[in-house]
Amino acid sequence: GDSVTQMEGPVTLSEEAFLTINCTYTATGYPSLFWYVQYPGEGLQLLLKATKADDKGSNKGFEATYRKETTSFHLEKGSVQVSDSAVYFCALSDQAGTALIFGKGTTLSVSS
Amino acid sequence: DVKVTQSSRYLVKRTGEKVFLECVQDMDHENMFWYRQDPGLGLRLIYFSYDVKMKEKGDIPEGYSVSREKKERFSLILESASTNQTSMYLCASKQGGETQYFGPGTRLLVL
């Protein structure tokens, strides 16, 4: 079945460092792809999404490009801040477009 | 803004108790979801509902049931709580498109 694999954490960075969190997927068809973020003690918030190949989603300085040829949707940010410390989840829509299938999450910790 | 609220942020229950987790959304969304979140396992879908009184099993429905009597409210029921149901429970809703909007979560501890 469809699945999402994202890099194991935790990822520990200094402020202003470059961030990459890898995400690859296995899917039948052409799912939409998402990154959600969960700040400490909160629920998940949509960070960005892409609905077709070569689309780039972006928000709050984060970017991810839907790469069909490598089945990837890696999350990047040029300069992280302490406030970016959170758990990041990659997800794809299931074949029916009803539910989301999530990766296991990657914890990011940014220190000043 | 879409608002999804959950009745409790923290709950402590005893083994064998019947537990109700309530979720309410204020945007007239058709679809509502219950997930559980566990360290190292990510989010796993328990049940979802695409309309009032309609429900579908997700990946891990065993030990759970749901109720959707009104469009805005989706309840998760643990008929007889067990310690392996200690977890974070997240409710979400969506309308049409694929973006789901999440509540703040309920952290349940079963003793």
Side-chain angles (χ1 to χ4, degrees), chain B residues 35-54:
Chain B
Y35 296 88
R36 65 176 281 176
Q37 180 182 5
D38 299 288
L41 297 177
L43 274 73
R44 293 178 291 167
L45 182 64
I46 304 171
Y47 268 97
F48 68 96
S49 169
Y50 52 89
D51 202 349
V52 175
K53 297 192 189 293
M54 307 303 287

Side-chain angles (χ1 to χ4, degrees), chain A residues 29-104:
Chain A
Y30 305 100
S32 293
L33 300 174
F34 304 80
W35 277 101
Y36 278 82
V37 58
Q38 184 179 35
Y39 297 104
E42 298 183 14
L44 275 68
Q45 302 174 26
L46 178 67
L47 182 58
L48 53 84
K49 72 176 188 180
T51 57
K52 60 183 189 297
D54 299 326
D55 265 4
K56 179 188 278 189
S58 61
N59 186 25
K60 299 182 183 180
F62 291 89
E63 293 183 341
T65 301
Y66 190 147
R67 302 278 188 208
K68 190 160 83 71
E69 63 277 10
T70 54
T71 61
S72 65
F73 193 54
H74 304 321
L75 183 68
E76 295 182 336
K77 187 175 185 184
S79 176
V80 293
Q81 305 300 312
V82 173
S83 56
D84 294 326
S85 297
V87 183
Y88 292 82
F89 292 92
C90 185
L92 60 81
S93 56
D94 68 4
Q95 290 184 48
T98 304
L100 293 176
I101 296 168
F102 286 86
K104 294 182 179 181

Side-chain angles (χ1 to χ4, degrees), chain B residues 27-110:
Chain B
M27 286 302 290
D28 205 36
H29 284 176
E30 299 282 346
N31 302 281
M32 296 186 75
F33 306 82
W34 276 107
Y35 296 88
R36 65 176 281 176
Q37 180 182 5
D38 299 288
L41 297 177
L43 274 73
R44 293 178 291 167
L45 182 64
I46 304 171
Y47 268 97
F48 68 96
S49 169
Y50 52 89
D51 202 349
V52 175
K53 297 192 189 293
M54 307 303 287
K55 61 186 179 185
E56 292 281 345
K57 292 180 181 179
D59 299 318
I60 51 163
E62 297 79 18
Y64 303 95
S65 62
V66 290
S67 172
R68 189 145 181 226
E69 296 296 320
K70 294 186 177 181
K71 194 174 186 181
E72 67 271 18
R73 187 179 299 268
F74 191 35
S75 302
L76 180 69
I77 303 155
L78 287 65
E79 296 290 341
S80 178
S82 63
T83 55
N84 63 12
Q85 292 178 309
T86 290
S87 187
M88 168 76 99
Y89 290 87
L90 292 164
C91 175
S93 72
K94 79 177 183 90
Q95 175 73 13
E98 296 154 320
T99 301
Q100 293 188 16
Y101 298 89
F102 284 81
T106 296
R107 193 169 292 279
L108 173 67
L109 172 62
V110 182

